[in-house]
Structures are given as C-alpha cells and as structure tokens.
Amino acid sequence: MRDSRTRSKGRWAAAPLLVFAVIVFGVPMLVLLGGTFTKEGTLSTANLTESLQGAYLTALVGSVKISALVAVLGGVLGTFLAQAVVTSRFRALREAVLTASGVLANFGGVPLAFAWIATLGNSGVVTTTLGLGQHGWNLYNFWGLTLVYLYFSIPLQVLTVVPALDGLRPQWREAAQNNGASTWQFWRYVGIPVLTPALLGGVVLLFGGAFSAYATAQAMVGSTVPLVTLKIADALTGNVLIGHENVALALSLDMIVVAGLVMAVYLPLQRRSARWLR
Amino acid sequence: MNGARVEFRGLRRRFGSTVALDGLDLTVEPGELIALLGPSGCGKTTALRCLAGFEQPDEGEVLVDGADITRVPANRRDAGMVFQSYSLFPNLNARDNVGFGLRVRKAPAAKRHARAQELLELVGLPSVGDRYPHQLSGGQQQRVALARALALEPRVLLLDEPLSALDAKVRVTLREEIRRLQLSLGITTIFVTHDQEEALSMADRVAVLREGRLEQVADPATLYDRPATPFVAEFVGAMNHLPGLVSGDRVTVLGQTLPVEGPSPDAARVDVLVRPEAVLVTPDGEGDGIVMVSSFRGSTARLRVRLGDGNEVLADVPGHDSARFAPGTAVRVGLVERPVLVSARPEAGAAAAVPEPDVV
C-alpha cells in the first residue's frame, strides 16, 4: 500500500514534463494536421497530393536518399573507427577520439557549413592550395553534402557503439577460438549479433539527424540539392510561390510519416536482434 | 574419447617486468586430472593459456602426445576450455552454445542439436536447451560451458578456475560432478585453481606453482603429509611452527620427544611443522594453554591456543566438542605421536608466524 502511494506520488513528479511534452508536441501537431487538410478554408487533401508531386516529391526522395546513405556509411565507418579505438593499446588515443566525437557529433548548422566552405569550398584553403578545382572537385552537390553530413554522423555512431564494443567480453572471442572458430566466424556468429541492437539504434539516429538537417544544407547548397527541409522553408517563406504555407505543413506530415516508416522497420528488427536480452 | 599426454617444457613467459612463467617443466599423463595450484600471479593461468593457444611462451614448448603445438593457432588445438565465468555466448541459447563448435565445422543442424542435447544430458541439464545464458544460474552456466568444451571430443580439457564465481554449495556439487565426468570420459584434464581444498579433493596430482616455477607435484595425500618445501607446507593446509630441539633423529617439542621425518637438520634449534589436526587439546584447569579464539566450521572447530611460553598454536577439535573449548578455557596441549617435519629456525620472531585462524 505504501509502495503504491509512493509510486503515485512519483508519477506527479513527472507531470510538469508530461504537460510540457503535450503542449510542445501536441499543439504543433494539431496545427500541422489542420493546415495540411485545409485548402482555401475548406477540408481537402489537395495539399497532401501536391506535396507528393513534382519538385516536392523529388525533394522528399532526395532527403530519404541522402539520409539513408549517410546512415549506412556513417554506421559502418563509425563502427570501424570505434572498434579501432576500443582495441587500441593507447589509452590517450581512445580518450582523444571519444572527446572529439562528443564535440563533433554536436557540430552542425551554419558553422559546420562555413568550416567546409572555408576549407573545401570553391575557393577554400585546401581546394586552392591543392588545385582541386582543376580536378573537378565540387563540394556543392549531393556527394559533397553527404561528406559534410558524415562529418557529424561518424562521431555520433562512435559514441553510440563504443559502450557496446566495450561490453564484448574477451572470453567470448577466446571461447569461440577454442571451439575452432576463425576471427570472421566469431564476428559472424557472436560479435555482430551481440552488437546489432546498438548498431541499429545508431543507424536510425544517423538517419534522423541527416533527414532533419536544414541549416547546413541551406548555407552550403541552397537549392542545388533538392531536400525536403529546404522545400518546407521555401514554401513557408514564400520564396518561390506565395500561399503555399499549407503545402509546407503537408511536407512536414510526409516527413513524420517517413520517420514513422523507419521506426516501423526498426522496432521489429531491434526486438528480434535483442531477443536474447529478455 | 581418450586422453592425451601433455608436456610443458621449459616454459618462460614475461609480461613487461613481471615473470609469469620461469622455466616450467611438467608432464601430465594421459587421462590424469592435474590441478595447478598457487597464489595469484604464480603463473598457473598463463601455463593453461599457453596450452590453449591464447598465450605464446617466450621460450619453451608445449607438447601434446609428443607433438609440438606451441605455434599452432588456438582454433586448431584439440583442447576444450571452461573459463572462469560469463563465457557463454549471450546471443545463443544453451543448445546453440554447446553446438557452436559443430556449427563452425558446418555440421548439419539436426546432428548439431542431437549432439548438444546429448551433452546437456551428460552435464545434468536436459531441459535448458532453449534458455539464454542470462536465464541460467551461475552453476548452470558453468555446466553448459563444460558441455560446450566437451562437444568436440577434445583430448585435453582445460578448466580455468571454473568454480570460483559460484557459491559454496554449488561449488562442491559441481566439482564432484566434473571429477565423475572426467573419470568416465578418461580425458586428460588440467584444472587451475587457487583453492587448495578444490585441488586436493579433485585431482590425481597437484602441482604447486610459485613465481612461475614448479614447487612440488604430488598426489594430494603426499602433498599434504610430506610437503617438499616450506612454501608448499604453508600454502597447502594450515601449519604450526613450534620451537623444537633436535638430538640425533628425534626432536623435543612441547615436552614430547618425537621422531624426525626425513633428514635431520644440522642446527639443534628448529621449527617443528605440525598440522592443526595433529595437535591434541584437552580441557584441564591445570593446563598451561588458554583458548584465545575458537572458530566453528561445522565438522571441526579451529582453536588458537596461547601456550605458557607465549607461543601460539592452532588446533582442530571435533565440531561437537567446540562448546568445551570456549575462549578463556584452560587446556593441556600435546601432539599426536608420529614423525614430524622440521625446518631450520629463522632468526628472531619466528613464533609470530602462526597463521590467522581463518586461514584454512
């Protein structure tokens, strides 16, 4: 009895946070839904239809493409880097990489764009010094943007998987060897399955980070790389056409649906891969 | 399954400035269970890991049935190993853990599962096949690990303190079971432990290691009754050091004259080494001993008795008698009439060398 009373008191402590969450998620969501399904004052699906056509569709697909690419590349490269650091004999290297990852994973927006423009942009220091321009180097396209997104995504993946890699016990590798397994067989049957929940979590995080990124792309590529976040901004500010605010809301809804789809794939996978933890 | 002969020849291994193995020579006969016993850092685990292939000796070689396997990679050695703890693959259930070696060898699933089931039955866990390691108790995990180590029918079984993380009761049952299995399979087994009771109760022979070298290897009774060195005498079982006077082949200690075991030392003043169970105490108001501490251990109670001359002696009495030996009781102290070991008496302060009563 005393327990349940303590527990219900405990619930009250979370109330302010819950109220806050309801307001900051719920109110925008209602406005977003209302706006999406309203065209010139009447109920309509026209905005949603428009958001899934022509340039808008291209932008949405472009965003999904770059996010998926960044998630997969960042996931793989970040995991390799993390493994290299975890198995390194140099403690200082590990500390340095982890600290740098903590900083770089949070690097974004216009400062990130500027850092790249100043070094590898058309007249960036490295570009001019090495004469990269003559070799066809161009930062302001899909691949350039991918590179810049990887700059914060790889460190984020490192931060996500290092604890999981630390959790791999040396006895497991030795027991596998003792049973005749090669290094590859150890990873295939034990190492990778044990890491999968953490790896998947990291990849989803990277997808989300790249999918929602806006300021860096805006400052770097403007509209040369079609991205849904840039289209939303254009539609909201009337940059190209006026009166398209509700299409922006429809595009936002599209983004929420994409994120939902990612979760719909991720959650069952996660549950399956973490079966042995329950 | 039959066991192989294992030989360690002049094994040396150093880690930085620490010498883990300093020329270890030891031969394990086919089908024998040998315990490597010693304090931590004595090199016992390193020796085992050299045999498993997880360590490379700097010098010397490891032979299995006469074949030098020193440079053979760990995954091609014919030895199953049970680790201290938490070595089961967490993502695989008990059946797949046991069948892991067969999976690596691409055996069909049906064969793998049948073999795993057979082994789980062998270790007394026929119905845990579907459980994951975290759903098993510590004792069950170690049984599964044992089944996994035996799955490929190795000719050598390596046990690296497999019982040290378990509670006392499980430890005793499991060690008996390991011994029973080992005898029925006839597999050569090397068992690393720092627990002398475990070593003495399970092994055919016990090898006591100290600072990377072999101190003595002998069957448990010999090791206990006739320790070759003072280190072994101290490490295996508790030992009293009592001042004695040698004349000829006899020594006078606590007013009794007893034959000396082995060669007599040159010095007349010696330490007489006596096990606590060879010390006889009887309650006696006139006696010159006083019980200082009594620690009850079930079947026995160990007493620390202060003698009239200021020396202290450890004595074991039957557990049911312990009430008669409460601290403060005056007692008479004598020794069992049998030959005793003596060692040269170290200078000054030797009497302080009585072990603490909680040391077994």
Side-chain angles (χ1 to χ4, degrees), chain B residues 1 19 28 63 65 162 177 216:
Chain B
M1 223 185 273
V19 179
V28 187
L63 283 77
D65 270 346
E177 221 159 307
Q216 182 177 11

Side-chain angles (χ1 to χ4, degrees), chain A residues 172 174 177-178 189 276 278, chain B residues 49 75 79 81 86 91 134:
Chain A
W172 297 339
E174 289 178 353
Q177 283 185 334
N178 187 249
Y189 295 123
W276 51 274
R278 283 192 303 273
Chain B
R49 292 173 62 82
N75 61 354
M81 180 148 170
Y86 307 116
N91 60 317
H134 76 99

Side-chain angles (χ1 to χ4, degrees), chain A residues 169-183 185-186 188-191 193-194 275-278, chain B residues 49 54 74-75 79-81 83 85-91 100-101 103-106 132 134-135 148 152:
Chain A
R169 293 175 185 275
Q171 296 98 296
W172 297 339
R173 188 191 292 256
E174 289 178 353
Q177 283 185 334
N178 187 249
N179 274 263
S182 61
T183 303
Q185 282 168 325
F186 162 73
R188 165 153 182 229
Y189 295 123
V190 181
V194 169
R275 205 176 29 185
W276 51 274
L277 281 172
R278 283 192 303 273
Chain B
R49 292 173 62 82
F54 302 136
N75 61 354
M81 180 148 170
F83 297 80
S85 58
Y86 307 116
S87 75
L88 293 181
F89 308 126
N91 60 317
F100 184 83
R103 186 177 187 180
V104 165
R105 281 168 176 67
K106 314 251 186 286
Y132 287 98
H134 76 99
Q135 296 166 323
R148 181 177 66 184
L152 296 173

Side-chain angles (χ1 to χ4, degrees), chain A residues 60-140:
Chain A
L60 189 63
V61 171
S63 273
V64 170
K65 265 204 289 199
I66 198 167
S67 309
L69 186 66
V70 165
V72 171
L73 277 181
V76 171
L77 297 176
T79 305
F80 281 133
L81 178 58
Q83 170 69 2
V85 166
V86 165
T87 51
S88 164
R89 281 184 295 127
F90 303 105
R91 183 109 203 133
L93 178 72
R94 178 195 163 102
E95 296 305 323
V97 171
L98 288 184
T99 309
S101 293
V103 175
L104 295 178
N106 290 300
F107 199 15
V110 180
L112 175 64
F114 179 74
W116 280 83
I117 292 168
T119 45
L120 283 160
N122 284 345
S123 41
V125 178
V126 177
T127 315
T128 48
T129 313
L130 300 179
L132 292 177
Q134 290 127 27
H135 297 92
W137 171 256
N138 180 14
L139 185 66
Y140 309 126

Side-chain angles (χ1 to χ4, degrees), chain A residues 62-78 142-154 156-157 202-211 213:
Chain A
S63 273
V64 170
K65 265 204 289 199
I66 198 167
S67 309
L69 186 66
V70 165
V72 171
L73 277 181
V76 171
L77 297 176
F142 180 84
W143 293 103
L145 196 60
T146 303
L147 191 66
V148 174
Y149 280 9
L150 283 175
Y151 191 70
F152 61 80
S153 297
I154 292 174
L156 188 57
Q157 180 73 359
V203 166
V204 167
L205 219 54
L206 299 198
F207 183 92
F211 195 54

Side-chain angles (χ1 to χ4, degrees), chain A:
Chain A
M1 187 178 160
R2 188 159 171 206
D3 260 11
S4 68
R5 207 189 304 159
T6 325
R7 210 173 296 145
S8 66
K9 265 188 205 153
R11 243 178 244 145
W12 281 110
L17 181 66
L18 289 175
V19 170
F20 178 76
V22 166
I23 293 172
V24 300
F25 282 111
V27 174
M29 190 69 202
L30 286 177
V31 172
L32 198 138
L33 282 172
T36 300
F37 293 104
T38 311
K39 175 116 182 169
E40 288 154 9
T42 55
L43 201 62
S44 156
T45 56
N47 294 321
L48 206 57
T49 313
E50 194 179 346
S51 79
L52 292 169
Q53 282 173 353
Y56 292 126
L57 181 63
T58 312
L60 189 63
V61 171
S63 273
V64 170
K65 265 204 289 199
I66 198 167
S67 309
L69 186 66
V70 165
V72 171
L73 277 181
V76 171
L77 297 176
T79 305
F80 281 133
L81 178 58
Q83 170 69 2
V85 166
V86 165
T87 51
S88 164
R89 281 184 295 127
F90 303 105
R91 183 109 203 133
L93 178 72
R94 178 195 163 102
E95 296 305 323
V97 171
L98 288 184
T99 309
S101 293
V103 175
L104 295 178
N106 290 300
F107 199 15
V110 180
L112 175 64
F114 179 74
W116 280 83
I117 292 168
T119 45
L120 283 160
N122 284 345
S123 41
V125 178
V126 177
T127 315
T128 48
T129 313
L130 300 179
L132 292 177
Q134 290 127 27
H135 297 92
W137 171 256
N138 180 14
L139 185 66
Y140 309 126
N141 59 26
F142 180 84
W143 293 103
L145 196 60
T146 303
L147 191 66
V148 174
Y149 280 9
L150 283 175
Y151 191 70
F152 61 80
S153 297
I154 292 174
L156 188 57
Q157 180 73 359
V158 169
L159 291 182
T160 321
V161 297
V162 157
L165 287 170
D166 277 337
L168 283 182
R169 293 175 185 275
Q171 296 98 296
W172 297 339
R173 188 191 292 256
E174 289 178 353
Q177 283 185 334
N178 187 249
N179 274 263
S182 61
T183 303
W184 158 242
Q185 282 168 325
F186 162 73
W187 283 107
R188 165 153 182 229
Y189 295 123
V190 181
I192 293 173
V194 169
L195 292 179
T196 302
L199 293 181
L200 280 177
V203 166
V204 167
L205 219 54
L206 299 198
F207 183 92
F211 195 54
S212 59
Y214 161 68
T216 308
Q218 171 66 29
M220 246 181 72
V221 296
S223 56
T224 49
V225 177
L227 292 179
V228 69
T229 44
L230 300 179
K231 287 287 178 215
I232 292 172
D234 284 350
L236 277 179
T237 56
N239 196 3
V240 183
L241 294 161
I242 52 164
H244 270 62
E245 292 84 355
N246 285 359
V247 177
L249 297 181
L251 282 169
S252 305
L253 187 63
D254 294 343
M255 284 183 77
I256 294 173
V257 171
V258 169
L261 287 177
V262 169
M263 293 311 279
V265 175
Y266 163 69
L267 288 176
L269 270 180
Q270 167 81 12
R271 202 166 300 139
R272 207 181 119 70
S273 69
R275 205 176 29 185
W276 51 274
L277 281 172
R278 283 192 303 273

Side-chain angles (χ1 to χ4, degrees), chain B residues 9-41:
Chain B
R9 280 196 195 156
L11 278 196
R12 267 175 222 285
R13 179 76 171 103
R14 108 194 348 265
F15 298 101
S17 60
T18 344
V19 179
L21 289 174
D22 188 10
L24 175 72
D25 286 298
L26 179 66
T27 301
V28 187
E29 298 301 332
E32 187 180 34
L33 192 159
I34 200 161
L36 301 186
L37 177 67
S40 51

